[in-house]
Amino acid sequence: MGLRIAMVCAMMGTFMQVLDTTIANVALPHMQGSLQASRDQVTWVLTSYIVAAAIMTAPVGWLANRIGRKNFFVISMAGFTLTSALCGAATSLDQMIVFRLFQGMFGAALSPLSQAVILDRYPPEKRGMIMSVWGMVVMIGPMLGPILGGYLTDNYSWRFVFYVNVPVGILAVTGLILFLSEDRPGKEQPFDWFGFGFFAVAVGALQFFLDRGTTKDWFSSPEIIVEAVLAGMAFYLFFVHFFTAKRTFIPHGLFKDRNFSLANTAITTVGFAITAMTEAAISVHTRNSMAVLVVMTVPARRLSSGIQLPIVAAISPCPALIMMPRESSEYQENSAGSPSAW
């Protein structure tokens, strides 16, 4: 019974994390007026969360092995719950962006940790069944986000888009503390900080380039040129390091898996589709224009949100592969850290 409660609490964390990728979309027009922000500025509420989650997913396996899986899970869940409350209480756009950054940083660990906990607690013959349930949670979250966000915004306030995480997070933290079995930190292993640093700079620079390009007239602005060059150089160094280093935080053999490569291609397509539909919904709501015309004129800066989804998808399995038992993964020998001894 205790194991089932712990698994439910772990999935609750994953559900909250994926829910928050879309729940705030429909509330942006209301935030815009309340926070006195322009339409371009308020979209940072979305992009800051996704960028932070994409970057901070990479060191999750190393941190879990260093401080213990349960400890890290509880800290991440509690931090995500606290920053959700702070987002709801934000009184300015600057506060909202900072709180959303921290929310994405804490939330980045919830999905890979829940995968690792589930795979570690169940025998191989039952993992397919439990992971199918986990996959349903991941699928339902983004679909339910706009519906729940619209209901809370229209009937209460846009702040409840974030407050809704608080009671769920408190229950999840309590359940993890009481029912998730204790563990001990694994043997400390070196982390691929060079690869992670190149990756973080590349994603951050690309995000700024796409977000600020339309307002700065693209390459006529020195700022945009610097961001484009920085992103290009960082991606180049990252790929050179990835293909030449012996140990990288993204396992080399991961993309040899046909299923994973096809799934990543699919989520790239879905990412751009969601971006277009989100832009259409926001534009129709705020400017009362035709959806067809809006989709055809999606600003280039919205490409950033579509790009972040496949980046998150590509690195999300890596911490779980690092943390799961050795016999569970064929990619362990190429991972950035060794599996724990739990």
Side-chain angles (χ1 to χ4, degrees), residues 23-232:
I23 193 172
N25 291 9
V26 294
L28 288 184
H30 299 270
M31 296 182 196
Q32 181 180 343
S34 178
L35 301 177
Q36 299 180 351
S38 67
R39 183 167 169 270
D40 285 334
Q41 290 174 333
V42 78
T43 56
W44 276 98
V45 175
L46 304 179
T47 53
S48 59
Y49 176 86
I50 298 175
V51 171
I55 293 175
M56 292 307 299
T57 299
V60 168
W62 180 79
L63 289 171
N65 285 337
R66 185 179 178 86
I67 66 178
R69 192 178 301 172
K70 177 179 179 179
N71 295 334
F72 189 37
F73 209 162
V74 172
I75 291 172
S76 299
M77 190 80 75
F80 186 85
T81 304
L82 176 61
T83 51
S84 295
L86 292 174
C87 287
T91 57
S92 68
L93 182 64
D94 292 338
Q95 290 181 3
M96 175 63 75
I97 293 174
V98 171
F99 295 150
R100 284 283 280 179
L101 279 171
F102 280 103
Q103 187 186 35
M105 291 171 62
F106 283 112
L110 299 182
S111 180
L113 281 174
S114 65
Q115 293 180 65
V117 166
I118 290 172
L119 293 172
D120 197 27
R121 265 63 176 183
Y122 282 88
E125 61 270 14
K126 293 185 177 180
R127 289 172 184 167
M129 177 192 67
I130 194 66
M131 286 306 297
S132 65
V133 176
W134 185 89
M136 290 174 58
V137 172
V138 174
M139 289 289 293
I140 292 173
M143 292 188 294
L144 184 61
I147 300 173
L148 181 60
Y151 174 81
L152 293 174
T153 301
D154 289 340
N155 292 278
Y156 299 97
S157 168
W158 64 264
R159 298 184 184 277
F160 282 88
V161 167
F162 302 104
Y163 287 148
V164 71
N165 290 330
V166 176
V168 179
I170 292 175
L171 289 175
V173 170
T174 304
L176 290 176
I177 293 174
L178 296 178
F179 297 103
L180 186 61
S181 57
E182 295 285 348
D183 52 39
R184 59 183 178 84
K187 183 180 179 181
E188 184 176 343
Q189 296 289 333
F191 182 69
D192 180 22
W193 289 109
F194 281 105
F196 174 67
F198 295 144
F199 174 80
V201 172
V203 172
L206 178 64
Q207 183 67 49
F208 276 101
F209 169 75
L210 293 173
D211 273 353
R212 297 178 62 82
T214 54
T215 60
K216 296 290 185 178
D217 198 20
W218 293 107
F219 290 101
S220 62
S221 170
E223 175 189 339
I224 300 302
I225 295 175
V226 170
E227 291 164 355
V229 172
L230 187 61

Side-chain angles (χ1 to χ4, degrees), residues 51-60 112 196 199 203 238 249-251 254-255 260 264 308-321:
V51 171
I55 293 175
M56 292 307 299
T57 299
V60 168
F196 174 67
F199 174 80
V203 172
F238 168 74
F249 72 90
I250 297 180
L254 188 60
F255 291 94
F260 177 81
N264 213 42
Q308 302 306 330
L309 288 175
I311 291 176
V312 175
I315 63 176
S316 289
C318 301
L321 291 171

